[in-house]
Amino acid sequence: MLISLDDAVARLNQGDLVALPTETVYGLAGLALQAITVRKIFELKGRPSTNPLIVHVNDLSEAENLAKLNDLSKRVCEIFWPGPLTIVLPKKDLIPLEVTAGNQTVALRAPNHPIFREILHRLKQPLAAPSANPSNRTSPTTATHIAELFGDMAPPTVDGGACTVGLESTVLDLTNNKPTILRPGMITRNDLQLALGEEVLLGPHIIQRINKVGQTAGDQSPGMSDCHYAPKTPLFLHAGTKELLESAQLSRKDLIIVCTAEERNVIEQKDFSCLALSISGSEREIARNLYSVLIQADKKKRRRLHLVFSHSPKGLNRAVLDRLTKAAVQSNIQI
Ligand code: TXA
Ligand code: MG
């Protein structure tokens, strides 16, 4: 159900959940300072209570009520907020432990979407908002995706159009003296290093380096339990079209996804069904369309999805590959 901004404010004030647009992906929002509401978020998503939520604020001064900021964290907020950057900081007492999964740190972000910002402004309190998808599934980048992903359980949604970034925010841990990226996103390591003038580390979980072991065909392949951001149809990753076309795994019942319209033409000439992530192959366009194409591909109910991605994990492509390797049941990409 689509609702107005006024209705969303009223529902949130009552402790209900609503889905709201941000520039990255749609979020499933509820009052961050109300433990009861926060529990509803975990319940609706089917999210393990060990996985903490991001708290959304409008600006640095609101962040200061919720977390302990040092000079570096203030500088980061001044440069990158509002925008697709989440920072992890030592929490203050106001933040319930339900939000942080029992941790003494909290993740904060000021989203850059006029609807989300207006709602925060009117509520005068922070919103917890994970991506508005059932746990481990592809994140929504349009209001329609939310209805498709949740079915009857879909939360009331404010339609803010398609998300312009299309991938979740970069998560930067600032709790010790070495800034560390926990989740790559549109704000890249290079962006952060240039702006801050210091080294930024990549966290240990960025891009699963171990190639996932292949599973036999079937929807409920055991490998799916390790997947995040995942379509329902098993997803296989390939480093090039040549390798894919020679692969014994490929059948006419499968759907192929490539990066550019040109690559799609080549595949279609060989009589395979194919979708392209972009027209041009630009990294921004690929990132913006990634989840939307995965959701579209899922709806076709093919046996398997094969995605060909030949770019190296640099810049924004690092974030795309991070999500893809986590979504896939098998990856033949060497990173
Ligand atoms: O772009 C985004 O960040 C979207 C929009 C809605 O703002 N939100 C989002 O939330 O992606 P979610 O819950 O899907 O992802 C939150 C990420 C998880 O990887 C979680 O582990 C990490 O942030 N996180 C949250 N709190 C943390 C903490 N205290 N320490 C370390 N990581 C944390
Ligand atoms: Mg998520």
Side-chain angles (χ1 to χ4, degrees):
M1 175 180 52
L2 294 182
I3 57 169
S4 67
L5 191 152
D6 288 343
D7 195 0
V9 172
R11 286 168 188 260
L12 286 164
N13 263 324
Q14 281 171 29
D16 291 340
L17 308 184
V18 298
L20 299 178
T22 84
E23 77 278 35
T24 57
V25 298
Y26 275 70
L28 177 63
L31 297 181
L33 305 183
Q34 258 183 26
I36 249 188
T37 305
V38 170
R39 277 186 225 123
K40 288 187 203 167
I41 298 179
F42 280 91
E43 211 167 291
L44 182 56
K45 275 183 69 82
R47 183 176 177 115
S49 57
T50 47
N51 191 0
L53 305 180
I54 296 174
V55 175
H56 296 67
V57 294
N58 253 337
D59 54 32
L60 172 59
S61 72
E62 289 181 21
E64 286 187 299
N65 297 326
L66 308 173
K68 296 166 197 157
L69 285 92
N70 59 19
D71 287 346
L72 177 68
S73 7
K74 287 181 196 167
R75 204 143 53 85
V76 170
C77 297
E78 275 156 9
I79 299 170
F80 293 101
W81 280 6
L85 181 70
T86 295
I87 53 174
V88 177
L89 297 167
K91 81 176 203 68
K92 286 191 176 170
D93 290 343
L94 212 51
I95 297 280
L97 286 168
E98 278 79 0
V99 171
T100 66
N103 292 303
Q104 288 303 321
T105 58
V106 63
L108 296 177
R109 161 164 132 79
N112 189 11
H113 192 291
I115 293 177
F116 206 117
R117 292 181 65 72
E118 176 64 21
I119 289 174
L120 282 173
H121 179 71
R122 293 212 209 160
L123 286 170
K124 299 192 173 33
Q125 53 173 320
L127 286 171
S131 50
N133 51 285
S135 206
N136 298 342
R137 298 284 310 283
T138 313
S139 303
T141 57
T142 66
T144 315
H145 290 162
I146 295 168
E148 289 169 357
L149 289 164
F150 279 102
D152 291 346
M153 299 299 286
T157 302
V158 181
D159 189 352
C163 302
T164 52
V165 173
L167 286 184
E168 301 84 350
S169 60
T170 306
V171 177
L172 181 67
D173 184 355
L174 292 173
T175 55
N176 53 43
N177 52 11
K178 274 279 169 221
T180 304
I181 295 177
L182 302 180
R183 178 175 72 183
M186 199 181 80
I187 309 283
T188 63
R189 180 188 197 186
N190 202 27
D191 295 336
L192 289 163
Q193 291 186 151
L194 281 176
L196 302 178
E198 63 177 280
E199 195 191 7
V200 172
L201 305 179
L202 290 176
H205 299 299
I206 293 187
I207 303 183
Q208 294 175 342
R209 284 171 185 278
I210 313 145
N211 285 345
K212 290 188 171 179
V213 180
Q215 307 291 337
T216 48
D219 278 348
Q220 292 306 317
S221 82
M224 291 296 280
S225 59
D226 304 329
C227 293
H228 301 276
Y229 315 104
K232 275 190 176 156
T233 321
L235 173 69
F236 293 74
L237 295 188
H238 304 269
T241 40
K242 190 166 174 290
E243 178 249 303
L244 167 64
L245 293 170
E246 286 166 0
S247 158
Q249 290 166 344
L250 183 61
S251 116
R252 302 268 164 204
K253 292 182 190 153
D254 298 346
L255 178 69
I256 299 176
I257 303 172
V258 293
C259 285
T260 65
E262 203 180 319
E263 286 169 322
R264 186 185 57 208
N265 290 340
V266 173
I267 298 289
E268 283 177 343
Q269 275 164 18
K270 298 198 183 293
D271 269 345
F272 285 98
S273 310
C274 189
L275 296 173
L277 292 172
S278 73
I279 304 292
S280 64
S282 91
E283 53 177 33
R284 290 258 180 141
E285 198 187 351
I286 290 172
R288 187 166 62 235
N289 293 335
L290 178 68
Y291 291 148
S292 185
V293 170
L294 288 179
I295 291 171
Q296 192 190 342
D298 230 0
K299 283 200 287 189
K300 296 189 184 289
K301 297 203 184 311
R302 293 306 186 102
R303 192 189 68 142
R304 289 175 166 179
L305 305 177
H306 295 279
L307 194 147
V308 181
F309 197 84
S310 54
H311 304 275
S312 60
K314 298 225 175 67
L316 184 51
N317 284 331
R318 184 192 298 284
V320 171
L321 259 174
D322 169 75
R323 306 308 191 276
L324 283 176
T325 51
K326 286 172 179 145
V329 295
Q330 184 182 334
S331 169
N332 299 326
I333 295 179
Q334 299 291 338
I335 296 162

